Coordinates of all heavy atoms in Angstrom, one line a residue:
M1 N 0.8 -1.2 0.0 CA 0.0 0.0 0.0 C 0.9 1.2 0.0 O 1.9 1.3 0.7 CB -0.9 0.0 1.2 CG -1.8 1.2 1.3 SD -3.0 1.1 2.7 CE -4.0 -0.2 2.3
K2 N 0.5 2.2 -0.8 CA 1.3 3.4 -0.9 C 1.2 4.3 0.4 O 0.1 4.4 0.9 CB 0.7 4.3 -2.1 CG 1.4 5.6 -2.3 CD 0.7 6.3 -3.5 CE 1.3 7.7 -3.6 NZ 0.6 8.5 -4.5
P3 N 2.3 4.7 0.9 CA 2.3 5.5 2.1 C 1.5 6.8 1.9 O 1.5 7.4 0.8 CB 3.7 5.9 2.4 CG 4.5 4.9 1.6 CD 3.7 4.5 0.5
L4 N 0.9 7.3 3.0 CA 0.0 8.5 2.9 C 0.9 9.7 3.3 O 1.5 9.7 4.4 CB -1.2 8.3 3.8 CG -2.0 7.1 3.5 CD1 -3.1 7.0 4.6 CD2 -2.6 7.2 2.1
T5 N 0.8 10.7 2.6 CA 1.5 11.9 2.9 C 0.7 13.2 2.8 O 1.2 14.3 3.2 CB 2.7 12.1 2.0 OG1 2.3 12.1 0.7 CG2 3.7 11.0 2.2
S6 N -0.5 13.1 2.4 CA -1.3 14.3 2.2 C -2.8 14.1 2.7 O -3.3 13.0 2.6 CB -1.4 14.7 0.7 OG -2.3 15.7 0.5
L7 N -3.3 15.1 3.3 CA -4.7 15.0 3.8 C -5.7 15.0 2.7 O -6.9 14.9 3.0 CB -5.0 16.1 4.8 CG -4.4 15.9 6.2 CD1 -4.7 17.1 7.1 CD2 -4.8 14.6 6.8
S8 N -5.3 15.1 1.5 CA -6.2 15.1 0.4 C -6.6 13.6 0.1 O -7.6 13.4 -0.6 CB -5.7 15.7 -0.9 OG -4.5 15.1 -1.3
D9 N -5.9 12.7 0.6 CA -6.2 11.3 0.5 C -7.3 10.9 1.4 O -7.2 11.0 2.6 CB -5.0 10.4 0.7 CG -5.1 9.0 0.3 OD1 -6.2 8.4 0.6 OD2 -4.2 8.4 -0.2
P10 N -8.5 10.3 0.9 CA -9.6 10.0 1.8 C -9.2 8.9 2.9 O -9.8 8.9 3.9 CB -10.7 9.5 0.9 CG -10.0 9.2 -0.4 CD -8.7 10.0 -0.5
R11 N -8.2 8.1 2.6 CA -7.9 7.1 3.6 C -7.3 7.7 4.8 O -7.6 7.3 6.0 CB -6.8 6.1 3.0 CG -7.4 5.3 1.9 CD -6.3 4.4 1.2 NE -5.3 5.2 0.7 CZ -4.1 4.8 0.4 NH1 -3.7 3.6 0.6 NH2 -3.2 5.6 -0.2
I12 N -6.5 8.7 4.7 CA -5.9 9.4 5.8 C -7.0 10.2 6.6 O -7.0 10.3 7.8 CB -4.7 10.3 5.5 CG1 -3.9 10.5 6.7 CG2 -5.1 11.5 4.8 CD1 -2.6 11.1 6.4
V13 N -7.9 10.8 5.9 CA -9.0 11.5 6.5 C -9.8 10.6 7.4 O -10.1 10.9 8.6 CB -9.9 12.2 5.5 CG1 -11.1 12.9 6.2 CG2 -9.1 13.3 4.7
R14 N -10.1 9.4 6.9 CA -10.9 8.4 7.7 C -10.1 7.9 8.9 O -10.6 7.8 10.0 CB -11.2 7.2 6.8 CG -12.6 7.1 6.4 CD -13.0 5.8 5.8 NE -12.0 5.1 5.0 CZ -11.9 5.3 3.6 NH1 -12.6 6.1 3.0 NH2 -10.9 4.6 3.0
A15 N -8.8 7.7 8.7 CA -7.9 7.3 9.8 C -7.8 8.3 10.9 O -7.9 8.0 12.1 CB -6.5 7.0 9.3
L16 N -7.8 9.6 10.5 CA -7.7 10.6 11.5 C -9.0 11.0 12.1 O -9.1 11.8 13.1 CB -7.0 11.9 10.9 CG -5.6 11.6 10.4 CD1 -5.0 12.9 9.8 CD2 -4.7 11.2 11.6
A17 N -10.1 10.5 11.6 CA -11.4 10.8 12.2 C -11.7 10.1 13.5 O -12.6 10.5 14.2 CB -12.5 10.4 11.1
H18 N -10.9 9.1 13.8 CA -11.2 8.3 15.1 C -10.3 8.9 16.2 O -9.1 9.0 16.1 CB -10.8 6.8 14.9 CG -11.5 6.0 15.9 ND1 -11.0 5.9 17.2 CD2 -12.6 5.2 15.8 CE1 -11.8 5.1 17.9 NE2 -12.7 4.6 17.1
P19 N -10.9 9.2 17.4 CA -10.1 9.8 18.4 C -9.0 9.0 19.0 O -8.0 9.5 19.4 CB -11.2 10.2 19.5 CG -12.4 9.4 19.1 CD -12.3 9.1 17.7
V20 N -9.2 7.7 19.0 CA -8.2 6.8 19.6 C -7.0 6.8 18.7 O -5.8 6.9 19.1 CB -8.7 5.3 19.7 CG1 -7.6 4.4 20.1 CG2 -9.8 5.3 20.8
R21 N -7.2 6.9 17.4 CA -6.0 6.9 16.4 C -5.3 8.2 16.6 O -4.1 8.3 16.5 CB -6.5 6.7 15.0 CG -7.0 5.3 14.7 CD -7.4 5.1 13.3 NE -8.0 3.8 13.2 CZ -8.8 3.4 12.2 NH1 -9.1 4.3 11.3 NH2 -9.3 2.2 12.2
L22 N -6.0 9.3 16.8 CA -5.3 10.6 17.0 C -4.5 10.6 18.2 O -3.4 11.1 18.2 CB -6.4 11.7 17.1 CG -7.0 12.2 15.8 CD1 -8.1 13.2 16.0 CD2 -6.0 12.7 14.8
R23 N -5.0 10.0 19.3 CA -4.2 9.9 20.5 C -3.0 9.0 20.4 O -1.9 9.3 20.9 CB -5.1 9.4 21.7 CG -6.2 10.4 22.0 CD -7.0 10.1 23.2 NE -6.2 10.2 24.4 CZ -6.6 9.8 25.6 NH1 -7.8 9.3 25.7 NH2 -5.8 9.9 26.6
I24 N -3.1 7.9 19.6 CA -2.0 7.0 19.3 C -0.9 7.8 18.6 O 0.2 7.8 18.9 CB -2.4 5.8 18.6 CG1 -3.3 4.9 19.5 CG2 -1.3 5.0 18.0 CD1 -4.0 3.8 18.7
L25 N -1.4 8.5 17.5 CA -0.4 9.3 16.7 C 0.3 10.4 17.5 O 1.5 10.6 17.4 CB -1.1 9.9 15.5 CG -1.5 8.9 14.4 CD1 -2.3 9.6 13.4 CD2 -0.3 8.3 13.8
S26 N -0.4 11.0 18.4 CA 0.2 12.0 19.2 C 1.2 11.5 20.2 O 2.3 12.1 20.4 CB -0.8 12.8 20.0 OG -1.4 12.1 21.0
I27 N 1.0 10.3 20.7 CA 2.0 9.6 21.6 C 3.2 9.2 20.7 O 4.4 9.4 21.1 CB 1.4 8.4 22.3 CG1 0.4 8.9 23.3 CG2 2.4 7.5 22.9 CD1 -0.5 7.8 23.9
L28 N 3.0 8.6 19.6 CA 4.1 8.1 18.8 C 4.8 9.2 18.1 O 6.0 9.0 17.6 CB 3.6 7.1 17.8 CG 3.0 5.8 18.4 CD1 2.5 4.9 17.3 CD2 4.0 5.1 19.2
E29 N 4.3 10.4 18.0 CA 5.0 11.5 17.5 C 6.1 11.9 18.4 O 7.2 12.4 18.0 CB 4.0 12.7 17.2 CG 4.6 13.8 16.5 CD 3.6 14.9 16.2 OE1 2.7 15.1 17.0 OE2 3.6 15.4 15.1
E30 N 5.9 11.7 19.7 CA 6.9 12.1 20.7 C 7.9 11.0 21.1 O 9.0 11.3 21.5 CB 6.2 12.5 22.0 CG 5.3 13.8 21.8 CD 4.5 14.1 23.0 OE1 4.8 13.6 24.1 OE2 3.6 15.0 22.9
R31 N 7.5 9.7 21.0 CA 8.4 8.7 21.4 C 8.0 7.3 20.8 O 6.9 7.2 20.2 CB 8.3 8.5 22.9 CG 7.0 8.2 23.5 CD 7.0 8.2 25.0 NE 5.6 8.0 25.5 CZ 5.1 6.8 25.8 NH1 5.8 5.7 25.6 NH2 3.9 6.7 26.3
V32 N 8.8 6.3 21.0 CA 8.5 5.0 20.6 C 7.7 4.3 21.7 O 8.0 4.5 22.9 CB 9.8 4.2 20.3 CG1 9.5 2.7 20.0 CG2 10.6 4.8 19.2
A33 N 6.6 3.6 21.3 CA 5.8 2.9 22.4 C 5.1 1.7 21.8 O 5.0 1.6 20.6 CB 4.7 3.9 22.9
S34 N 4.8 0.8 22.7 CA 4.1 -0.4 22.3 C 2.6 -0.2 22.5 O 2.2 0.7 23.3 CB 4.5 -1.6 23.2 OG 4.1 -1.4 24.5
P35 N 1.7 -1.0 21.9 CA 0.3 -0.9 22.1 C -0.1 -1.0 23.6 O -1.0 -0.4 24.1 CB -0.3 -2.0 21.3 CG 0.7 -2.2 20.1 CD 2.0 -2.0 20.8
K36 N 0.6 -1.9 24.3 CA 0.4 -2.1 25.7 C 0.6 -0.8 26.5 O -0.2 -0.4 27.3 CB 1.2 -3.2 26.3 CG 1.0 -3.5 27.7 CD 1.8 -4.7 28.2 CE 1.6 -4.9 29.7 NZ 2.4 -6.1 30.1
E37 N 1.8 -0.1 26.2 CA 2.1 1.2 26.9 C 1.1 2.2 26.5 O 0.6 3.0 27.3 CB 3.5 1.6 26.5 CG 4.6 0.7 26.9 CD 5.9 1.0 26.2 OE1 6.0 1.6 25.2 OE2 6.9 0.6 26.8
I38 N 0.7 2.3 25.2 CA -0.3 3.2 24.8 C -1.7 3.0 25.4 O -2.3 4.0 25.9 CB -0.5 3.2 23.2 CG1 0.9 3.6 22.6 CG2 -1.6 4.1 22.8 CD1 0.9 3.3 21.1
A39 N -2.1 1.7 25.5 CA -3.4 1.4 26.1 C -3.4 1.9 27.6 O -4.4 2.4 28.1 CB -3.6 -0.1 26.0
R40 N -2.3 1.6 28.3 CA -2.2 2.0 29.7 C -2.3 3.5 29.8 O -2.9 4.1 30.7 CB -0.9 1.4 30.3 CG -0.8 1.7 31.8 CD 0.4 1.0 32.4 NE 1.6 1.0 31.5 CZ 2.3 0.0 31.2 NH1 2.0 -1.2 31.7 NH2 3.3 0.0 30.4
E41 N -1.6 4.2 28.9 CA -1.5 5.7 29.0 C -2.9 6.3 28.7 O -3.2 7.3 29.3 CB -0.5 6.2 28.0 CG -0.2 7.7 28.1 CD 1.0 8.1 27.3 OE1 1.9 7.4 27.1 OE2 0.9 9.3 26.8
I42 N -3.6 5.8 27.7 CA -4.9 6.5 27.3 C -6.1 5.8 28.0 O -7.2 6.3 27.9 CB -5.1 6.5 25.8 CG1 -5.3 5.1 25.2 CG2 -3.9 7.2 25.1 CD1 -5.6 5.1 23.7
G43 N -5.9 4.7 28.7 CA -7.0 4.1 29.5 C -7.9 3.4 28.6 O -9.1 3.3 28.9
A44 N -7.5 2.8 27.5 CA -8.3 2.1 26.6 C -7.9 0.6 26.6 O -6.8 0.3 26.9 CB -8.2 2.6 25.1
P45 N -8.9 -0.3 26.2 CA -8.5 -1.7 26.2 C -7.4 -2.0 25.2 O -7.4 -1.4 24.1 CB -9.8 -2.4 25.8 CG -10.9 -1.4 26.1 CD -10.3 -0.1 25.9
L46 N -6.5 -2.9 25.6 CA -5.4 -3.3 24.7 C -5.9 -3.8 23.3 O -5.3 -3.5 22.3 CB -4.5 -4.3 25.4 CG -3.4 -4.9 24.5 CD1 -2.4 -3.7 24.1 CD2 -2.6 -5.9 25.3
T47 N -7.0 -4.5 23.3 CA -7.5 -5.0 22.0 C -7.9 -3.9 21.1 O -7.6 -4.0 19.9 CB -8.7 -6.0 22.2 OG1 -9.7 -5.3 23.0 CG2 -8.3 -7.2 23.0
H48 N -8.5 -2.9 21.6 CA -8.9 -1.7 20.8 C -7.7 -1.0 20.3 O -7.6 -0.6 19.1 CB -9.8 -0.7 21.5 CG -11.1 -1.3 21.9 ND1 -12.0 -0.7 22.7 CD2 -11.7 -2.5 21.6 CE1 -13.0 -1.4 22.9 NE2 -12.9 -2.5 22.3
V49 N -6.7 -0.7 21.1 CA -5.5 0.0 20.8 C -4.7 -0.8 19.7 O -4.2 -0.3 18.7 CB -4.6 0.3 22.0 CG1 -3.3 0.9 21.6 CG2 -5.3 1.3 22.9
S50 N -4.6 -2.1 19.9 CA -3.9 -3.0 19.0 C -4.5 -2.9 17.6 O -3.8 -2.9 16.6 CB -3.8 -4.4 19.5 OG -3.1 -4.5 20.6
Y51 N -5.8 -2.9 17.5 CA -6.5 -2.8 16.2 C -6.2 -1.5 15.6 O -5.9 -1.5 14.4 CB -8.1 -2.9 16.5 CG -8.8 -2.6 15.3 CD1 -9.0 -3.5 14.2 CD2 -9.4 -1.3 15.1 CE1 -9.7 -3.1 13.1 CE2 -10.1 -1.0 14.0 CZ -10.3 -1.9 13.0 OH -11.0 -1.6 11.8
H52 N -6.3 -0.4 16.3 CA -6.0 0.9 15.7 C -4.5 1.0 15.3 O -4.2 1.6 14.2 CB -6.4 2.0 16.6 CG -7.9 2.1 16.7 ND1 -8.8 2.4 15.7 CD2 -8.7 1.9 17.8 CE1 -10.0 2.4 16.1 NE2 -10.0 2.1 17.4
V53 N -3.6 0.5 16.0 CA -2.2 0.5 15.7 C -2.0 -0.3 14.4 O -1.3 0.2 13.5 CB -1.3 -0.1 16.8 CG1 0.1 -0.4 16.4 CG2 -1.3 0.9 18.0
R54 N -2.6 -1.4 14.2 CA -2.5 -2.2 13.0 C -3.0 -1.4 11.8 O -2.4 -1.4 10.7 CB -3.3 -3.5 13.1 CG -2.5 -4.6 13.8 CD -3.1 -6.0 13.6 NE -4.6 -6.0 13.9 CZ -5.1 -6.2 15.1 NH1 -4.3 -6.4 16.2 NH2 -6.4 -6.2 15.3
Q55 N -4.1 -0.7 12.0 CA -4.7 0.1 10.9 C -3.7 1.2 10.5 O -3.5 1.5 9.3 CB -6.1 0.7 11.3 CG -7.1 -0.3 11.6 CD -7.4 -1.1 10.4 OE1 -7.6 -0.6 9.3 NE2 -7.4 -2.4 10.5
L56 N -3.2 1.9 11.5 CA -2.2 3.0 11.2 C -1.0 2.5 10.6 O -0.4 3.1 9.7 CB -1.9 3.7 12.5 CG -3.0 4.5 13.2 CD1 -2.6 5.0 14.5 CD2 -3.4 5.7 12.3
A57 N -0.5 1.3 10.9 CA 0.7 0.7 10.3 C 0.4 0.3 8.9 O 1.2 0.5 8.0 CB 1.1 -0.5 11.1
Q58 N -0.8 -0.2 8.6 CA -1.1 -0.6 7.2 C -1.2 0.6 6.3 O -0.9 0.6 5.1 CB -2.5 -1.3 7.2 CG -2.4 -2.7 7.7 CD -3.8 -3.4 7.8 OE1 -4.8 -2.8 7.5 NE2 -3.8 -4.7 8.0
L59 N -1.6 1.8 6.9 CA -1.7 3.0 6.1 C -0.3 3.7 5.9 O -0.2 4.6 5.2 CB -2.6 4.0 6.8 CG -4.1 3.6 6.7 CD1 -4.9 4.5 7.6 CD2 -4.6 3.6 5.3
G60 N 0.7 3.2 6.7 CA 2.0 3.7 6.5 C 2.3 5.0 7.4 O 3.3 5.7 7.2
L61 N 1.4 5.2 8.4 CA 1.6 6.4 9.2 C 2.5 6.1 10.4 O 3.2 7.0 10.9 CB 0.2 6.9 9.8 CG -0.7 7.4 8.7 CD1 -2.1 7.7 9.3 CD2 -0.2 8.7 8.1
I62 N 2.6 4.8 10.8 CA 3.5 4.4 11.8 C 4.3 3.2 11.4 O 3.9 2.6 10.4 CB 2.8 4.1 13.2 CG1 1.8 2.9 13.0 CG2 2.1 5.4 13.7 CD1 1.2 2.5 14.3
K63 N 5.4 3.0 12.0 CA 6.3 1.9 11.6 C 6.8 1.1 12.8 O 7.0 1.7 13.8 CB 7.5 2.5 10.8 CG 8.4 1.6 10.2 CD 9.4 2.3 9.3 CE 10.3 1.3 8.6 NZ 11.3 1.9 7.8
L64 N 7.0 -0.2 12.6 CA 7.5 -1.0 13.6 C 9.0 -0.6 13.8 O 9.8 -0.6 12.9 CB 7.4 -2.5 13.2 CG 8.0 -3.5 14.3 CD1 7.1 -3.4 15.5 CD2 7.9 -4.9 13.7
D65 N 9.3 -0.2 15.1 CA 10.7 0.2 15.4 C 11.5 -0.9 15.9 O 12.7 -1.1 15.5 CB 10.6 1.3 16.5 CG 11.9 1.9 16.7 OD1 12.5 2.6 15.8 OD2 12.5 1.7 17.9
R66 N 11.0 -1.8 16.8 CA 11.7 -2.9 17.3 C 10.7 -3.9 18.0 O 9.6 -3.5 18.3 CB 12.8 -2.5 18.3 CG 12.2 -1.9 19.6 CD 13.3 -1.5 20.6 NE 12.8 -1.1 21.9 CZ 12.3 0.1 22.2 NH1 12.3 1.0 21.2 NH2 11.8 0.4 23.4
T67 N 11.2 -5.1 18.3 CA 10.4 -6.0 19.0 C 11.2 -6.5 20.3 O 12.4 -6.4 20.2 CB 10.1 -7.3 18.2 OG1 11.3 -7.9 17.7 CG2 9.2 -7.0 17.0
T68 N 10.5 -6.8 21.3 CA 11.1 -7.2 22.6 C 10.4 -8.5 23.1 O 9.2 -8.5 23.2 CB 10.9 -6.1 23.6 OG1 11.4 -4.9 23.1 CG2 11.7 -6.4 24.9
P69 N 11.2 -9.6 23.3 CA 10.6 -10.8 23.9 C 10.1 -10.5 25.3 O 10.8 -9.9 26.1 CB 11.8 -11.8 23.9 CG 12.9 -11.2 23.2 CD 12.6 -9.7 23.1
R70 N 8.9 -11.0 25.6 CA 8.2 -10.8 26.9 C 7.5 -12.1 27.3 O 6.4 -12.3 26.7 CB 7.2 -9.6 26.9 CG 7.8 -8.3 26.6 CD 8.3 -7.7 27.8 NE 8.7 -6.3 27.5 CZ 9.8 -5.8 27.9 NH1 10.7 -6.5 28.5 NH2 10.1 -4.5 27.6
R71 N 8.1 -12.8 28.2 CA 7.4 -14.0 28.7 C 6.7 -14.9 27.7 O 5.5 -15.2 27.8 CB 6.4 -13.6 29.8 CG 7.0 -12.9 31.0 CD 6.0 -12.6 32.0 NE 6.6 -11.9 33.1 CZ 6.0 -11.5 34.1 NH1 4.7 -11.7 34.3 NH2 6.6 -10.8 35.1
G72 N 7.5 -15.3 26.7 CA 6.9 -16.2 25.7 C 6.1 -15.5 24.6 O 5.6 -16.1 23.7
A73 N 6.1 -14.2 24.6 CA 5.4 -13.4 23.6 C 6.4 -12.4 23.1 O 7.5 -12.3 23.5 CB 4.2 -12.7 24.2
V74 N 5.9 -11.6 22.1 CA 6.8 -10.5 21.5 C 6.0 -9.2 21.6 O 4.9 -9.1 21.2 CB 7.1 -10.9 20.1 CG1 8.0 -9.7 19.5 CG2 7.9 -12.2 20.0
E75 N 6.7 -8.2 22.2 CA 6.1 -6.9 22.3 C 6.6 -6.1 21.2 O 7.8 -6.0 20.9 CB 6.4 -6.3 23.7 CG 5.7 -5.0 23.9 CD 5.9 -4.5 25.3 OE1 6.8 -5.0 26.1 OE2 5.2 -3.5 25.7
H76 N 5.7 -5.4 20.4 CA 6.1 -4.6 19.3 C 6.1 -3.1 19.7 O 5.1 -2.7 20.3 CB 5.1 -4.8 18.1 CG 5.1 -6.2 17.6 ND1 4.4 -7.2 18.2 CD2 5.7 -6.8 16.6 CE1 4.6 -8.4 17.6 NE2 5.4 -8.1 16.6
H77 N 7.1 -2.4 19.3 CA 7.2 -1.0 19.6 C 7.2 -0.2 18.3 O 7.9 -0.5 17.4 CB 8.6 -0.7 20.3 CG 8.7 -1.5 21.6 ND1 8.3 -0.9 22.8 CD2 9.1 -2.7 21.9 CE1 8.5 -1.8 23.8 NE2 9.0 -2.9 23.3
Y78 N 6.3 0.8 18.2 CA 6.1 1.5 17.0 C 6.6 3.0 17.2 O 6.7 3.5 18.3 CB 4.6 1.5 16.7 CG 4.1 0.2 16.3 CD1 3.6 -0.7 17.2 CD2 4.1 -0.2 14.9 CE1 3.2 -2.0 16.9 CE2 3.7 -1.5 14.6 CZ 3.2 -2.3 15.5 OH 2.8 -3.6 15.2
R79 N 6.8 3.6 16.0 CA 7.2 5.0 16.0 C 6.4 5.7 14.8 O 6.0 5.0 13.9 CB 8.7 5.2 15.9 CG 9.3 4.7 14.5 CD 10.7 5.0 14.4 NE 11.3 4.3 13.3 CZ 11.3 4.8 12.1 NH1 10.7 5.9 11.8 NH2 11.9 4.1 11.1
M80 N 6.3 7.0 14.9 CA 5.7 7.7 13.8 C 6.6 7.6 12.6 O 7.8 7.8 12.7 CB 5.6 9.2 14.2 CG 4.8 10.0 13.2 SD 3.1 9.7 13.5 CE 2.5 11.4 13.4
D81 N 6.0 7.3 11.4 CA 6.8 7.2 10.2 C 6.6 8.3 9.3 O 7.5 8.8 8.6 CB 6.4 5.9 9.5 CG 7.3 5.5 8.3 OD1 8.6 5.7 8.5 OD2 6.9 5.1 7.3
A82 N 5.4 8.8 9.2 CA 5.1 9.9 8.2 C 4.3 11.0 8.9 O 3.3 10.6 9.5 CB 4.4 9.4 7.0
S83 N 4.6 12.2 8.8 CA 3.8 13.3 9.3 C 3.0 13.8 8.1 O 3.6 14.5 7.2 CB 4.6 14.4 9.9 OG 5.3 13.9 11.1
P84 N 1.8 13.6 8.0 CA 1.0 14.0 6.8 C 0.9 15.5 6.8 O 0.8 16.2 7.8 CB -0.4 13.4 7.0 CG -0.4 13.0 8.4 CD 0.9 12.8 8.9
S85 N 1.0 16.1 5.6 CA 0.9 17.5 5.4 C -0.4 17.8 4.9 O -1.1 17.0 4.2 CB 2.0 18.0 4.5 OG 1.8 17.4 3.2
I86 N -0.9 19.0 5.1 CA -2.2 19.5 4.6 C -1.9 20.3 3.4 O -1.3 21.4 3.5 CB -2.9 20.3 5.7 CG1 -3.1 19.5 7.0 CG2 -4.3 20.8 5.2 CD1 -3.7 20.2 8.1
S87 N -2.4 19.8 2.3 CA -2.2 20.6 1.0 C -3.1 21.8 1.0 O -4.1 21.9 1.7 CB -2.6 19.7 -0.2 OG -4.0 19.4 -0.2
E88 N -2.7 22.8 0.2 CA -3.5 24.0 0.1 C -4.9 23.7 -0.4 O -5.9 24.3 0.0 CB -2.8 25.0 -0.8 CG -1.6 25.6 -0.1 CD -1.0 26.7 -0.9 OE1 -1.8 27.4 -1.7 OE2 0.2 26.9 -0.8
D89 N -5.0 22.7 -1.3 CA -6.4 22.3 -1.8 C -7.2 21.7 -0.7 O -8.4 21.9 -0.7 CB -6.2 21.3 -3.0 CG -5.6 21.9 -4.2 OD1 -5.7 23.1 -4.4 OD2 -5.0 21.1 -5.0
A90 N -6.6 21.0 0.2 CA -7.4 20.4 1.3 C -7.9 21.4 2.2 O -9.0 21.3 2.8 CB -6.5 19.4 2.1
W91 N -7.1 22.6 2.4 CA -7.6 23.6 3.3 C -8.8 24.3 2.6 O -9.7 24.8 3.2 CB -6.5 24.7 3.5 CG -5.7 24.3 4.7 CD1 -4.4 23.9 4.6 CD2 -6.0 24.2 6.1 NE1 -3.9 23.6 5.9 CE2 -4.9 23.8 6.8 CE3 -7.2 24.4 6.8 CZ2 -4.9 23.6 8.2 CZ3 -7.2 24.3 8.1 CH2 -6.0 23.9 8.8

């Protein structure tokens, strides 16, 4: 899937319309974090946060930074990959 870089793309507008995704992006803009850390910080269920993180990763807005083994599982840490710009036409 082509990375999103402009708010003129309807996929990015839909992605940014959800408040949980906006909060995830604001956290990942400042630092690297896992869905578990994000869920704890925003007070949302891990399953919901994980779903939205996957959606943002598929759109190319965030990127997997590293993985960490945790008690037989793997914790994924993400970072912001693209900061979308607002085109003059979109304004």
Side-chain angles (χ1 to χ4, degrees):
M1 182 177 291
K2 182 182 171 188
L4 304 173
T5 57
S6 170
L7 284 181
S8 61
D9 190 320
R11 295 176 296 161
I12 197 165
V13 173
R14 254 192 325 270
L16 297 177
H18 199 287
V20 172
R21 291 182 187 159
L22 285 176
R23 293 188 68 190
I24 292 168
L25 287 173
S26 69
I27 290 169
L28 295 178
E29 188 174 39
E30 296 176 11
R31 63 184 172 90
V32 174
S34 70
K36 182 178 179 181
E37 294 166 342
I38 295 167
R40 185 176 35 233
E41 187 172 327
I42 67 174
L46 177 57
T47 55
H48 295 173
V49 172
S50 294
Y51 169 79
H52 290 295
V53 165
R54 280 193 307 273
Q55 297 299 311
L56 293 170
Q58 286 176 352
L59 290 170
L61 294 173
I62 63 174
K63 186 175 183 177
L64 182 65
D65 187 67
R66 68 180 187 277
T67 58
T68 308
R70 298 274 187 229
R71 298 183 183 181
V74 178
E75 188 171 12
H76 296 83
H77 300 268
Y78 293 88
R79 64 177 169 82
M80 186 81 137
D81 189 41
S83 294
S85 62
I86 302 172
S87 66
E88 288 190 29
D89 293 335
W91 275 112

